[in-house]
Amino acid sequence: MTFAQLGTGVSKGIAIGPVHILYHDSLEIPEYALPEKFIPDEQTRYTAAIILARKQLHDILKQIPANTPPDIAEFIDTHLLMLNDSTLAKVPLQIIAKQQCNAEWALKLQRDALVRVFDEMEDPYLRTRKDDVDHVVNTIQRILLNSPMHHGANPEQEQPHSGHILVTDDLSPADTVLMQHQGIAAFITESGGPTSHTAILARSLGIPAIIGLHRARERLRDDETIILDGQQGWILANPDDRSLQFYHQKRRQEHLRYLDSIKNKDQPAVTLDGHTIKLMANIELTSDIHAVHEIGAQGIGLYRTEFLFMNRTSPPGEEEQFKTYKGVIDKLDGKLLTIRTIDLGADKQVDRNRHQSSSATTNPALGLRAIRLCLKEPALFLPQICAILRASAYGPVRILLPMLSNINELKLILELIKDVKTKLSAQGIPYDNDIAIGGMIEVPAAAITARMFLEYLDFLSIGTNDLIQYTLAIDRIDEEVNYLYDPLNPAVLHLIALSIEAGKLWDKPVGLCGEMAADPRFTRILLGLGLTEFSMHASNLPAIKQVINNSTLSSLTTLTNEIMQTTNYEEFLTCLNHFQYT
Ligand code: PEP
Ligand code: MG
């Protein structure tokens, strides 16, 4: 039977192929007492499981192709480190002996103890390690229980073949890499958030993906053909011949358009009436830089550095960060790099934080994150500032501060940066003394008072992902309220307008780096509001350039003035229609 189902598209592209269903059933952990004489054998069984788990991870590492970003292999390295650590390699052996219990139960007790410690930690960075513990513990448990994650209705069924569309409950980043290597055409998960590592990796690895497709495994069957649209977030199961033909053709057209856009990469984004618009790229992984050049982005408008800090046993030190940032600068061949300081905390790991400290549990997005966290934990922040400043001696760099809401907080941060500069100067270490420091406009308070913030900053970057969440009081990763997440809500547009006006007042640049910049439906209204710098994932850039190159700024400005002045919502909606780009 043909049917369509909608989830959340997190990585664009059309995939057509047979379904491969993957189950990670939750494990029943048995508990039983052991006579003393069996304890050494049980300990040997546990150690053998650890050795096999290490071998499995090493096998995955070996299978990762050479051109896979190093950040991805690091996820697996972290899990290997955990397997080597005495908390998992040795303590369960002591529990087996002390409690005279089976290995699975000893591991469960140790896992619970570790998770309790993580839950009590103040430091959100360390709290995020809990997911890694669970992932590693699960691997060992499956080996002990002789229960591999199984595929389809038949556990003996083989791994997905090249071209299959994987359907599962959730995927870890390490599994995502492995599945990409096995050549999956796309994946669907029943749960997960759009800001999860897996979703972000899917975009970076170019795998079309949909998350939050409820009960997909019940509704789909192994080997039935589906069409998946990773941008719109829908699938069509058992499509008829006409639909198949249509989407095969659409996919070919998309590919041709992409090849065409690469050909035009050096063509600037200029409106029909001659206004040049700057198009920059957002990056998460250092490997994204390849696409930045391929697509002709003018620089990096947002480098989300928090990904460097995730899925590891300890945060990267100053030296490691310096090398990473310098590596990015070297690869950019003189293009501008905007390094956002870490935006760790609450909403980046929402699924995990639901189990965290009381303030994070009740309202994670309003909690201790980004520069709030950096002020509270200078030991986390200062090495990053030092590394960025040192890297700035090697190419054009800007510093971008996330989650500004309060000018006093900004002044404290600027003082810290000044102190680091003084120290570097005293040590004779080179850096760009005129490095531009900008702020993200993500909180309505910052948008409303952008003109005051700009007294202290060199540029602004509007982060609509959070600005919309905070303005409309909608958790950006909560599927239940996603339907209210509206970039065209008049309140959002007025806040964007205020931020852009503040830039004009101070004659300082204002860009936009939220997902709104990447969506051609919004390009014309943003142009009309006076936006001159867009930053987005590189793959979206050609489509945005095409809209810009076919728009007349003067008429969009007139239309925008009208829409921003109306006091009538129906009139507002009617005016919006004029911005459509076909
Ligand atoms: C934003 O909030 O729009 C943004 C770009 O930051 P992030 O998505 O990383 O929160
Ligand atoms: Mg944000």
Side-chain angles (χ1 to χ4, degrees), residues 95 180 275 318 321 441:
I95 300 175
Q180 189 225 14
H275 296 270
E318 179 193 319
Q321 288 189 64
I441 299 294

Side-chain angles (χ1 to χ4, degrees), residues 346-400:
D347 75 327
K348 285 292 162 187
Q349 302 98 16
V350 103
D351 288 340
R352 302 157 189 187
N353 283 359
R354 286 196 198 288
H355 312 290
Q356 290 173 5
S357 71
S358 55
S359 70
T361 308
T362 47
N363 226 335
L366 306 183
L368 190 65
R369 70 176 272 209
I371 63 159
R372 300 171 180 182
L373 173 68
C374 290
L375 277 171
K376 191 158 180 236
E377 313 259 348
L380 201 61
F381 184 57
L382 294 178
Q384 177 169 46
I385 293 300
C386 212
I388 299 174
L389 284 172
R390 283 173 57 199
S392 71
Y394 298 88
V397 172
R398 310 192 287 188
I399 296 178
L400 179 58

Side-chain angles (χ1 to χ4, degrees), residues 195 282 302 304 306-307 340 343 347-348 369 440 442 462-467 476 513-515:
T195 55
N282 293 354
L302 170 67
R304 289 180 165 102
E306 53 275 11
F307 287 91
R340 185 174 73 180
D343 184 7
D347 75 327
K348 285 292 162 187
R369 70 176 272 209
M440 296 277 296
E442 295 169 289
I462 306 169
T464 42
N465 304 343
D466 278 314
L467 186 62
R476 69 193 244 197
C513 63
E515 291 304 304

Side-chain angles (χ1 to χ4, degrees), residues 18 104 181 385 486 576:
E104 294 87 346
H181 181 53
I385 293 300
D486 179 15
L576 271 186

